[in-house]
Amino acid sequence: MKHSRYIAMNERRESAPVPKFASFRPKAQASEVEDEREKDDGRLESLPTGRKHFQDSKISRHYGRNDDLPTHSRHVNRQSTKSDTQLAAPRSDHQPRDYILDTRGDEDNVRYGSLHRFSVPPYRRIGYGNVLGLSLKQKIDRAMSSDKRIIIPPRDIDSASRRDRNVLAKVRKQKELRIRPSSILPAPNSQADFLSFNVAGARHGLDDYENPSLSDEEDYRSIYGRTKPSPHLQDEDLEYGSDEVADEAGSLLKETRLRGAELSRLVEQDPSNGSAWLELVAHQECLYGGRAKLTNAESQSLADIRLSILEKALKQVKDDRYVEQLLCSLMDQAALLWDATRKVKKWEEVLSQHPTYITLWTKYLDFLQTDFATFQMEGVREAFAKALQKVRIVKESRGEAFTEYAHIQCYLLLRVTCCMKDAGFSEQAFGVWQANLEFNTRELDKNEDLIAKFETYWESEVRRIGEEDSRSWADFLQNGGGPPGPMTDSVVSGLQDCASEDWYSSERDAEENLFPARTADNTMEDDTYRVILFSDVEPFLININGTSWNSLVQAFLAFNSLPSLPTSDIVDSFWWWDPFVRNDHLRGNETTTGLHAATIDSNRTFQASMLRSIFTADSAFAGSVSQISVFPAMTDTGKRQLTFVRHALSSLVARVNDDYLSVYFLGFENTYFPSSARKAAKRLLKQQPSCLKLYNAYALIEFSQSNRATAEKVLLTAINMSRDDPQTSLLWQTWIFELLERASAEVALSRLMTMPDSEIKEQAPRPGSSESADFTRTVRVHRLLTSCRDQCISIGNVFLAVHYSTLHLLLAYLSSEDALSTAVTAFNSSLAMLPGPPHSLFHEILHQSLARIISYHVAHHPSFSPRIVRSALQRSVSLFPQNTLFLSMFASVESRFRIDDRIRSTISSIVHGSEFGNTKSNDNPQAKETVLTHMFAIYIELSRSTEMGSNQHSVRATFERAVQSECGGKNALIWQSYILWELQQGGHAKAVWWRAIRGCPWVKRLWIMPWQYQGLVRIEELKGIYELMMDKEIRIRIQIEE
């Protein structure tokens, strides 16, 4: 039997006495050993079969393989193999079993909870990575596999990929080397007949070769073996380059830990210090190395740590300002860890304890609108109405902060109306805006019962604001009136088949009825949302003070995807890159269709995406090649909405005396309805004959319609009429820019030289004459512009100072041979004089003026200096990354030079925030990733050629980066663009569509895409999608019959 002799010898060894060192027992004879073996064999053969197997298994479990046995045991086994086989062969009734029966059991298994490790036979895994049934050359790729899928590379690339990974691993292990900066060497010997490449004292290598005994290195024939690699470099001109990097990383980690310990000490010493708690929470991300993107596991771990810190902080901090911030941060972190039920319960608990925290209410509204599991459109509307009511209560109790709460009310009103319109309730959305614009431009006494009177006005169904020939609220109360004649909608009956292609077209046709109907109109009988009653608008009615009406107009413009009025209030500017607002309704699906075929045009760039820049007079009436209009292009989809906006702006201009609003209205009219723009300007000039801004707007209308002589006559009359008024700088700026772009640089300079004259003549000096641009006149104009600029800054009129600074740029550009470089120098000097931070509104307007000069220079001087242009535009982009004028111009200029991919790297740095460092500590409000920057990054990636490295993987990665961001995941336009691109690629469009629905469940435009694009989902799934839309309370105008 196997191992029997080894067992017998062990038994004898245990019973034998321990020998003494003085005398050893003599070795046994061979015959005695054989007798003992026979006795042992006989003793084992007398045991039962299972017991013998147990004896063998004990030895096997103790030593494992046969090779692990002691040497003498292996020797005995080899000798007895044959005899054991012969002895076991005739006993067929006692064959060894593959198992043993243990009826007694081991109580220690229950006590310790597992088997004894020495009782389990050791084993060794083989075939690591192989799959049963596949070739042995194919293994599981551990690097590419995850817990959700297993990747097995093809057979032909397996070895190559492993070889590449090994090579890369070796490269990563090598330390980076760099050339050591050499010291100053002595001059070479000019008398010698050779030039030595060795430095002084470097002859030791030759000496060592000539005298081997002097060398410290061991020869390869040495008895000490092969020479081990030395940690020191043999080349004295090289040194390790990673030491400083490692030291820098170590010092940074040390500083991070010290800062964390300091913050922990602060909160322990003063637990009520809310600022220290918030800084400690923000500091936790620095412990992950400050990387731009964390993994899901790291994000959840970070959220868990922050959540515990915030819970401790809320128990100690009592100041309402910090409690609100701590609660908002707590709910942000909870959104990454908790399920929907727990989040809803926590939100209800927090809001019940702190019902007056406005920022917390805004966070709660974001949660309700984006959480797919709990989204219900009616619940979202009720939550917005309740939030507006809370703001109204807080505003009445804190009268000193009236303006701040007016901004909050306007923002909530903008959000709820955008949500209504996206979900299909456009009648209620426009009705709410009609009610608020009418209610807040009243001419009634505040002590009167305003709500009751306004209800009477609304229920009368007279023509309201935004409609043609509308009447004001005050005029109705004085003179009365009735509703207009009945209108008829296109009535369409319900369709039988849910998969019918006609359903989508009928639904889109029914959505053309944007505005509220009246009770006398002929509408669909089962559509209860067409007529908007006073009870539908009353919960969203706000009361804005006269000084804050500008915020209400700004919100109305943002609702209609139009540019903002020029304002220094940065709070209003946030609305134009808000993900819930910037869906560009005016252009509808045309936006995303043009986005796929986006190409960089040197004159009109970024036309397919969203626009955002500071509204100025020249950009509002842009008709030149070098100027991009701030107004988006009109399509048939938004024509009716533009008509509504036109009538609303006309009514607001007549009721509110505001010069900027009047200029805005004329720019809007000239862009979309140019035939009536001149008439509208003359009408406003009759009402305000001394307004220089209106004269400037009228001249720009004439310039844009190619009436240069009439435009110059208007400017000349206005300047001579108000010669000493500093506001004439705006007229001069318009005049010089238009002459530069429509005539020539010489004509523009000649006209600019007449600025110091007491009376401006109609005919300017002839270009090239001594009176046109001599040195004396140039210095005179320069002194006039700089002195006027400094005087405007001293009195606080920064807008006029910007106009004089722009004229200073034009003078430097027109009067110098090195035009662009001189203009940039003048720009830097003027920029240093302007008050405020470098990212303020006035700085941005001056940057736009320089961009216009650069655009003209690039168009008319092909041999320009790329370095100057790139440096100026890159500076503007870094300060104002949300201004699409700078982004598009930078892309246009860089597209001319395809040496490297600067556009993509710059946009990527903006999106990732590396352009600005830590955006959380940066005071620039534009220094963060928004919908605009992500859309422009997508536009650039689609515009890149395959030679520059663009492919479907890079485009998909750009889309994924956008939708996975905090702002991009809430924007329907980005999701729609992603879906349409995947449809073109034939990729995962259906999966992306479902993700879009989960991210933006309130957007009807995304819900009906399966009917618009056949093949996005299977036909049998359409019925379920329709029922899910009904469950989420999305507006369906054309019902589908069962």
Side-chain angles (χ1 to χ4, degrees):
M1 185 68 65
K2 192 176 181 180
H3 303 308
S4 59
R5 294 177 178 81
Y6 177 72
I7 296 174
M9 291 180 67
N10 282 344
E11 293 177 355
R12 292 184 55 190
R13 193 172 299 160
E14 293 174 358
S15 61
V18 179
K20 298 181 179 180
F21 289 97
S23 62
F24 292 94
R25 178 179 298 178
K27 297 181 179 180
Q29 299 297 329
S31 59
E32 296 178 0
V33 173
E34 293 295 334
D35 295 339
E36 293 294 335
R37 289 176 181 173
E38 292 176 359
K39 293 179 181 180
D40 294 338
D41 293 341
R43 193 181 301 113
L44 285 174
E45 290 296 335
S46 61
L47 294 174
T49 305
R51 183 69 179 272
K52 289 186 294 182
H53 182 69
F54 175 71
Q55 291 289 339
D56 292 341
S57 62
K58 283 177 62 178
I59 302 174
S60 300
R61 289 196 297 269
H62 183 70
Y63 288 101
R65 294 171 58 90
N66 210 23
D67 297 337
D68 298 333
L69 294 173
T71 307
H72 61 275
S73 300
R74 292 196 303 267
H75 179 70
V76 172
N77 281 336
R78 284 195 300 267
Q79 292 180 356
S80 60
T81 300
K82 182 176 180 180
S83 60
D84 291 342
T85 305
Q86 293 175 354
L87 290 173
R91 291 180 173 86
S92 58
D93 55 337
H94 298 291
Q95 292 294 332
R97 299 178 183 178
D98 294 334
Y99 62 91
I100 60 173
L101 297 177
D102 188 4
T103 58
R104 179 179 180 183
D106 191 352
E107 298 177 356
D108 291 337
N109 294 343
V110 180
R111 181 184 303 174
Y112 296 104
S114 62
L115 298 175
H116 189 241
R117 62 177 181 175
F118 293 114
S119 300
V120 179
Y123 62 92
R124 186 179 305 172
R125 296 178 63 181
I126 63 172
Y128 179 77
N130 290 108
V131 178
L132 185 63
L134 296 181
S135 172
L136 296 178
K137 296 183 179 180
Q138 291 184 268
K139 293 180 177 294
I140 298 174
D141 193 328
R142 303 291 177 180
M144 298 177 61
S145 301
S146 63
D147 56 347
K148 296 182 179 179
R149 60 178 182 176
I150 296 177
I151 303 300
I152 303 176
R155 182 176 178 179
D156 52 348
I157 67 171
D158 183 60
S159 59
S161 61
R162 287 200 302 268
R163 182 172 63 251
D164 294 341
R165 287 198 297 268
N166 294 335
V167 171
L168 293 175
K170 292 180 181 179
V171 171
R172 287 193 295 267
K173 292 180 180 179
Q174 294 179 358
K175 289 187 176 182
E176 181 182 358
L177 301 178
R178 66 181 180 187
I179 299 177
R180 185 195 305 274
S182 60
S183 58
I184 301 177
L185 301 178
N189 187 7
S190 60
Q191 302 298 329
D193 56 351
F194 66 94
L195 182 62
S196 176
F197 288 96
N198 297 327
V199 297
R203 190 175 165 75
H204 58 82
L206 182 60
D207 295 339
D208 294 342
Y209 176 76
E210 294 176 352
N211 300 294
S213 60
L214 300 178
S215 177
D216 296 334
E217 298 182 359
E218 297 175 353
D219 191 81
Y220 73 94
R221 295 165 295 184
S222 173
I223 62 175
Y224 297 102
R226 299 181 62 182
T227 305
K228 297 181 179 180
S230 174
H232 305 288
L233 293 174
Q234 299 179 0
D235 193 343
E236 297 181 356
D237 293 333
L238 295 178
E239 63 181 3
Y240 288 115
S242 59
D243 295 338
E244 294 183 1
V245 178
D247 295 341
E248 182 179 355
S251 62
L252 182 60
L253 180 60
K254 184 178 180 180
E255 293 177 1
T256 303
R257 291 177 177 175
L258 290 176
R259 181 57 180 165
E262 181 183 356
L263 292 174
S264 300
R265 194 182 311 111
L266 284 176
V267 297
E268 289 179 1
Q269 295 174 357
D270 186 9
S272 62
N273 189 349
S275 177
W277 281 107
L278 289 171
E279 192 172 355
L280 179 61
V281 171
H283 180 73
Q284 301 305 311
E285 190 172 359
C286 300
L287 300 177
Y288 287 85
R291 287 174 292 170
K293 183 174 179 59
L294 302 178
T295 62
N296 292 334
E298 291 174 340
S299 299
Q300 292 183 357
S301 176
L302 177 61
D304 193 12
I305 296 173
R306 285 177 168 176
L307 197 63
S308 61
I309 297 175
L310 290 167
E311 289 175 349
K312 295 178 182 178
L314 288 170
K315 296 178 181 178
Q316 304 293 336
V317 180
K318 304 302 180 183
D319 192 345
D320 289 342
R321 296 175 301 170
Y322 295 114
V323 170
E324 185 173 8
Q325 298 180 43
L326 291 170
L327 284 173
C328 291
S329 182
L330 175 71
M331 299 310 300
D332 288 339
Q333 305 307 317
L336 302 175
L337 300 174
W338 297 350
D339 56 1
T341 305
R342 187 177 179 184
K343 285 186 289 186
V344 171
K345 184 178 180 181
K346 184 64 177 179
W347 271 117
E348 293 175 353
E349 176 186 347
V350 169
L351 290 175
S352 62
Q353 296 175 357
H354 309 279
T356 60
Y357 286 175
I358 306 303
T359 307
L360 198 63
W361 270 99
T362 306
K363 290 278 186 182
Y364 176 61
L365 295 174
D366 294 347
F367 165 73
L368 288 182
Q369 194 169 345
T370 56
D371 188 73
F372 182 81
T374 60
F375 174 80
Q376 295 288 334
M377 186 58 202
E378 188 61 32
V380 171
R381 277 189 292 199
E382 292 177 357
F384 271 104
K386 191 174 182 180
L388 285 169
Q389 182 182 3
K390 295 295 182 182
V391 176
R392 189 182 305 114
I393 295 173
V394 174
K395 186 181 68 173
E396 293 174 355
S397 62
R398 304 176 185 178
E400 68 278 359
F402 192 88
T403 305
E404 176 186 357
Y405 289 103
H407 286 302
I408 297 174
Q409 283 182 307
C410 293
Y411 175 70
L412 293 177
L413 184 64
L414 172 63
R415 281 282 305 275
V416 67
T417 51
C418 286
C419 182
M420 291 176 183
K421 185 179 179 183
D422 290 342
F425 300 92
S426 60
E427 294 92 343
Q428 187 178 9
F430 282 99
V432 168
W433 276 113
Q434 284 181 313
N436 280 279
L437 291 175
E438 191 70 54
F439 185 79
N440 289 281
T441 56
R442 61 187 179 273
E443 300 175 358
L444 301 177
D445 189 3
K446 297 181 181 179
N447 297 325
E448 299 181 15
D449 190 3
L450 300 179
I451 299 298
K453 291 185 177 181
F454 188 77
E455 181 179 2
T456 304
Y457 162 77
W458 188 268
E459 296 296 342
S460 66
E461 294 186 341
V462 297
R463 294 184 183 271
R464 303 158 186 159
I465 190 171
E467 301 177 13
E468 190 175 3
D469 300 330
S470 63
R471 299 175 56 189
S472 65
W473 177 18
D475 181 62
F476 166 76
L477 294 178
Q478 293 178 1
N479 303 320
M487 303 291 293
T488 302
D489 292 343
S490 55
V491 182
V492 183
S493 60
L495 302 179
Q496 294 287 341
D497 189 6
C498 179
S500 174
E501 297 180 359
D502 296 334
W503 180 84
Y504 171 77
S505 58
S506 301
E507 183 71 18
R508 294 293 291 177
D509 292 340
E511 288 181 351
E512 293 296 324
N513 302 317
L514 298 175
F515 312 109
R518 292 171 170 82
T519 54
D521 293 345
N522 184 15
T523 60
M524 294 186 62
E525 296 180 357
D526 55 346
D527 193 351
T528 59
Y529 298 103
R530 284 287 290 129
V531 179
I532 304 301
L533 306 177
F534 180 73
S535 59
D536 298 326
V537 300
E538 184 182 9
F540 309 102
L541 201 61
I542 62 177
N543 188 4
I544 298 296
N545 192 8
T547 58
S548 303
W549 76 270
N550 187 53
S551 297
L552 184 65
V553 177
Q554 294 278 50
F556 175 69
L557 296 176
F559 170 76
N560 292 281
S561 300
L562 293 172
S564 66
L565 289 169
T567 175
S568 58
D569 195 344
I570 195 63
V571 177
D572 296 346
S573 300
F574 289 154
W575 301 344
W576 271 262
W577 57 76
D578 189 281
F580 296 98
V581 176
R582 286 312 305 259
N583 287 327
D584 285 54
H585 304 284
L586 284 179
R587 285 163 284 174
N589 294 331
E590 300 294 331
T591 300
T592 52
T593 304
L595 188 63
H596 305 313
T599 56
I600 295 182
D601 185 6
S602 59
N603 297 328
R604 290 289 188 269
T605 57
F606 202 30
Q607 291 294 318
S609 189
M610 294 178 286
L611 300 174
R612 185 263 164 191
S613 61
I614 299 299
F615 177 89
T616 57
D618 50 2
S619 62
F621 301 89
S624 60
V625 175
S626 59
Q627 184 68 3
I628 300 177
S629 176
V630 295
F631 290 104
M634 181 178 65
T635 61
D636 295 336
T637 307
K639 190 173 182 179
R640 295 193 61 191
Q641 185 173 348
L642 287 174
T643 305
F644 171 82
V645 176
R646 178 191 184 188
H647 295 315
L649 289 177
S650 179
S651 300
L652 291 175
V653 168
R655 301 178 190 182
V656 181
N657 185 15
D658 186 86
D659 295 343
Y660 287 109
L661 183 60
S662 300
V663 173
Y664 188 98
F665 167 67
L666 291 179
F668 177 90
E669 193 80 4
N670 185 66
T671 302
Y672 301 114
F673 308 95
S675 59
S676 59
R678 186 184 294 108
K679 182 179 179 181
K682 291 180 179 180
R683 184 180 69 250
L684 292 178
L685 278 173
K686 289 181 179 180
Q687 299 174 2
Q688 305 179 51
S690 61
C691 182
L692 294 181
K693 293 186 180 67
L694 291 179
Y695 278 102
N696 183 70
Y698 180 36
L700 285 169
I701 291 174
E702 297 291 350
F703 273 123
S704 63
Q705 297 183 6
S706 302
N707 298 324
R708 175 185 164 187
T710 305
E712 290 194 63
K713 186 176 180 180
V714 172
L715 292 173
L716 181 64
T717 304
I719 291 174
N720 288 327
M721 180 180 64
S722 307
R723 191 69 188 88
D724 299 330
D725 193 341
Q727 293 188 10
T728 55
S729 59
L730 174 62
L731 303 174
W732 279 107
Q733 175 183 328
T734 299
W735 201 351
I736 303 304
F737 261 128
E738 293 296 332
L739 289 177
L740 176 64
E741 295 170 344
R742 299 180 186 277
S744 64
E746 292 78 9
V747 175
L749 179 61
S750 177
R751 174 56 68 184
L752 184 59
M753 289 298 105
T754 64
M755 188 174 181
D757 296 345
S758 58
E759 183 179 358
I760 308 302
K761 299 180 181 180
E762 185 176 356
Q763 294 294 331
R766 183 172 53 86
S769 63
S770 58
E771 299 179 358
S772 61
D774 58 354
F775 178 76
T776 304
R777 296 183 68 87
T778 303
V779 173
R780 184 182 176 189
V781 175
H782 172 77
R783 289 179 178 177
L784 174 64
L785 294 176
T786 53
S787 62
C788 292
R789 177 197 64 191
D790 298 341
Q791 183 180 3
C792 291
I793 293 175
S794 63
I795 64 177
N797 198 335
V798 188
F799 272 111
L800 293 181
V802 172
H803 296 325
Y804 281 112
S805 299
T806 303
L807 289 171
H808 188 210
L809 299 184
L810 289 169
L811 176 65
Y813 178 78
L814 295 172
S815 61
S816 175
E817 294 182 358
D818 191 5
L820 192 58
S821 178
T822 308
V824 172
T825 304
F827 167 77
N828 292 330
S829 63
S830 298
L831 204 62
M833 297 297 297
L834 294 180
H839 50 77
S840 65
L841 171 69
F842 311 110
H843 288 73
E844 189 171 2
I845 294 176
L846 190 58
H847 275 269
Q848 288 188 177
S849 299
L850 177 64
R852 186 176 183 182
I853 294 176
I854 291 175
S855 179
Y856 169 83
H857 186 83
V858 170
H860 293 81
H861 299 82
S863 59
F864 61 90
S865 174
R867 180 183 59 83
I868 299 176
V869 175
R870 182 184 305 115
S871 176
L873 290 178
Q874 200 159 13
R875 180 182 179 184
S876 301
V877 168
S878 62
L879 287 172
F880 310 102
Q882 312 303 328
N883 193 315
T884 57
L885 172 65
F886 302 142
L887 293 173
S888 59
M889 285 192 61
F890 182 75
S892 175
V893 172
E894 287 299 322
S895 63
R896 299 168 178 256
F897 310 99
R898 299 190 176 272
I899 300 175
D900 54 8
D901 203 356
R902 293 190 185 95
I903 306 175
R904 188 167 180 253
S905 60
T906 302
I907 299 303
S908 178
S909 64
I910 293 173
V911 172
H912 291 134
S914 59
E915 183 75 18
F916 320 100
N918 188 3
T919 59
K920 297 178 181 178
S921 61
N922 199 325
D923 57 350
N924 186 359
Q926 297 194 28
K928 61 180 180 179
E929 59 175 356
T930 62
V931 177
L932 296 178
T933 54
H934 280 296
M935 284 298 299
F936 195 78
I938 295 169
Y939 171 77
I940 291 300
E941 193 62 38
L942 290 170
S943 304
R944 293 172 68 227
S945 60
T946 55
E947 292 80 4
M948 298 299 295
S950 178
N951 51 49
Q952 63 175 352
H953 303 292
S954 62
V955 175
R956 185 176 288 111
T958 307
F959 272 114
E960 284 293 332
R961 191 182 301 115
V963 298
Q964 291 177 10
S965 64
E966 183 179 358
C967 58
K970 305 172 184 177
N971 185 257
L973 182 60
I974 294 180
W975 279 112
Q976 187 186 37
S977 304
Y978 193 9
I979 296 169
L980 296 181
W981 182 81
E982 286 288 358
L983 282 173
Q984 288 185 346
Q985 304 301 317
H988 312 288
K990 180 181 177 180
V992 176
W993 178 78
W994 277 114
R995 291 171 58 192
I997 293 301
R998 290 193 297 268
C1000 304
W1002 74 95
V1003 182
K1004 179 183 177 181
R1005 191 194 314 171
L1006 297 177
W1007 281 100
I1008 62 177
M1009 287 186 71
W1011 284 272
Q1012 181 182 6
Y1013 301 98
Q1014 298 293 331
L1016 181 60
V1017 300
R1018 297 193 304 270
I1019 297 179
E1020 55 268 21
E1021 295 177 323
L1022 294 176
K1023 183 63 176 178
I1025 296 173
Y1026 176 81
E1027 293 176 353
L1028 189 58
M1029 289 175 61
M1030 299 293 290
D1031 182 64
K1032 296 298 179 182
E1033 299 176 351
I1034 302 298
R1035 169 83 176 281
I1036 302 296
R1037 297 173 182 265
I1038 309 300
Q1039 300 293 331
I1040 297 179
E1041 298 180 358
E1042 297 293 339

